[in-house]
Structures are given as structure tokens and as C-alpha cells.
Amino acid sequence: MGYPQAASGSPAVSRTHRTTATLKLRKGAGRHYLVQSTLAQGTELSLVEVQGSWAHVYVHQIYGWVPNIYLEPIPAEFEETPALRQEATEHEPVLTRYALIETTHETTATLNLRKGSGTGYPVLKVIDHGTRVRLILQQGLWSQIQCNQLLGWVPSMYLHRLPARPAQSGLIAVPNQRALTTIRLNARKGPGDHHGLARILQADTAVIIVARQGAWRQIEREGERMWVPASQLRTVY
């Protein structure tokens, strides 16, 4: 797989993980690859994909590889939105606050939400059967999910995908799927070749899929949203 070219400005994806030790950032998934830089413990970075025991990451405007075992998720930040709750006395409503989360899956059993992708990691919380969560990342038999204000891991086999809700325009939201472009392509301002050109993307550019409509996918790159054919994207985990 070719390496995405480092782009100026903000990274293609948000910072999702941080290092738990001082690590060498290598050009490939193995200790025999050239060291590009050294990352201090606690360095925040963006996880692009996982291959075996190695993680492909974006940090300090370059792409590279580090051992996956030395990464931990950064707790998600949520936007709080006011809501009204009616007291039992039915007097004046009380203003409470709750965190908004776009759920994508439902648990099919009572699960231990763990700090990492394995039963050897500590349990953060016990999740009830039927809890709605948001899928963040899949790694082998485990999935990283967002449950209320917690980010953790559960076995993938106990997650059931919720049916997508298409908007009136036919646009269907996608739960932030990471992907790479397969060729050099023209990104459009809308879902179709008749729309104006938004940007030219090089092959192996890291993007986030945020919505779909027919054979087209809406992607996000450096804070800008645009459209490309689904056939010219390769999803990564």
C-alpha cells in the first residue's frame, strides 16, 4: 500500500489516540523499517488503520507506523445541548443537559466495556443488553465504541447495526468511516459528475466518509466536505 502524502494544515482525521510510551515512528509495519521520528509518551495522533500488531497513524503532519499495543483511545468530547425534563409534580420544567451521540449499533447482550481490544484490559463499565452505541473502529474480533461519554472496546459479534434513516433528499448519514482514495480523482461539490470541482485528491489520500447517496459518497478532508464515487474509495479499519 502506498503512503498518503502529508498535507499542510490540519490532519485529515481528528486525533483519536495517544501514546502510552515513548515510540519510534517507522515508515512501515515492522521494526526493520526506517525510523522517521520519536514520539514522546502522551503524544496525540490520528489512527488510520490497524494491521496485525501495528497501527498506521498520522502525527506531526506525517504518516507512519507504531506498535498498536502502546496506543490508547482519547476520551471523546461531546457537545451538550439543553433539554427540558418535566418533574413529577408537573410544575415548572427543570432544565437539564444531556450529551448528543449519533448511535449506529445496538448491543445484543450485556457486555463489559473494556479499555482495550481484549479480555485482559480493565472494564470501564457494564453495558446493558439493548444499549444503543456508536461504532468508531473495528479491529479483528473487537470493536471500539462510544457509549454515552465513554470510549471503549467490546466483542464485535455482540453488536447489531441499526437501520439507516434516509433523509428526504435520499442522503444517508454514515458513522464517520475512514477511507483512502484508490486513484487520483476529482472531488465534486455534489453527488454527480455534473457538479462543480471542489478539489483534486491524490491516490491514497486519507478521508472520512460522512454520508452516502446512490453510488456517491460525501467525504471530509481537512474540514472540507465534497463528493466522490464510492468505487474510488477503499475503507480502512
Side-chain angles (χ1 to χ4, degrees):
M1 181 185 70
Y3 292 96
Q5 297 297 317
S8 60
S10 59
V13 292
S14 60
R15 294 173 181 174
T16 60
H17 290 69
R18 59 182 167 227
T19 59
T20 60
T22 300
L23 300 179
K24 294 178 180 179
L25 183 70
R26 298 182 182 271
K27 279 199 170 183
R31 298 188 184 278
H32 58 285
Y33 285 95
L34 181 68
V35 176
Q36 301 184 91
S37 67
T38 300
L39 305 179
Q41 180 178 347
T43 300
E44 296 185 352
L45 47 77
S46 302
L47 178 64
V48 179
E49 63 175 322
V50 173
Q51 289 188 6
S53 61
W54 288 82
H56 190 193
V57 301
Y58 182 89
V59 60
H60 299 158
Q61 297 189 353
I62 59 175
Y63 289 87
W65 296 81
V66 295
N68 184 45
I69 192 174
Y70 297 114
L71 296 181
E72 67 176 5
I74 298 174
E77 295 182 359
F78 300 84
E79 178 183 357
E80 291 188 337
T81 301
L84 291 178
R85 174 173 57 84
Q86 191 75 29
E87 293 286 13
T89 57
E90 294 188 359
H91 291 315
E92 184 177 357
V94 176
L95 184 66
T96 62
R97 304 185 74 84
Y98 64 92
L100 291 179
I101 171 176
E102 178 191 0
T103 57
T104 61
H105 289 70
E106 185 176 65
T107 60
T108 60
T110 300
L111 301 176
N112 290 328
L113 181 69
R114 296 187 179 272
K115 191 173 181 180
S117 55
T119 55
Y121 288 91
V123 176
L124 301 173
K125 178 183 179 181
V126 177
I127 304 177
D128 293 332
H129 179 191
T131 300
R132 293 195 171 190
V133 299
R134 179 180 181 181
L135 178 65
I136 303 297
L137 176 70
Q138 284 186 320
Q139 178 181 318
L141 300 177
W142 289 78
S143 292
Q144 186 184 44
I145 63 169
Q146 177 182 327
C147 179
N148 296 326
Q149 295 186 5
L150 287 177
L151 200 64
W153 295 80
V154 296
S156 302
M157 65 182 296
Y158 297 113
L159 294 179
H160 172 70
R161 179 179 289 276
L162 297 172
R165 295 182 179 180
Q168 293 182 351
S169 62
L171 185 70
I172 301 175
V174 172
N176 291 353
Q177 171 66 61
R178 296 182 178 88
L180 296 173
T181 56
T182 58
I183 61 172
R184 185 176 184 271
L185 58 89
N186 293 331
R188 302 285 177 179
K189 294 181 179 179
D193 288 326
H194 59 286
H195 289 278
L197 179 66
R199 186 188 289 198
I200 298 176
L201 300 177
Q202 301 299 321
D204 287 330
T205 298
V207 299
I208 298 292
I209 303 174
V210 296
R212 60 188 174 93
Q213 183 170 323
W216 287 76
R217 298 293 181 266
Q218 187 181 40
I219 61 171
E220 184 172 307
R221 168 78 180 177
E222 297 176 347
E224 180 182 1
R225 294 197 173 188
M226 60 204 88
W227 291 83
V228 297
S231 61
Q232 295 170 351
L233 292 175
R234 176 170 60 86
T235 57
V236 295
Y237 297 96

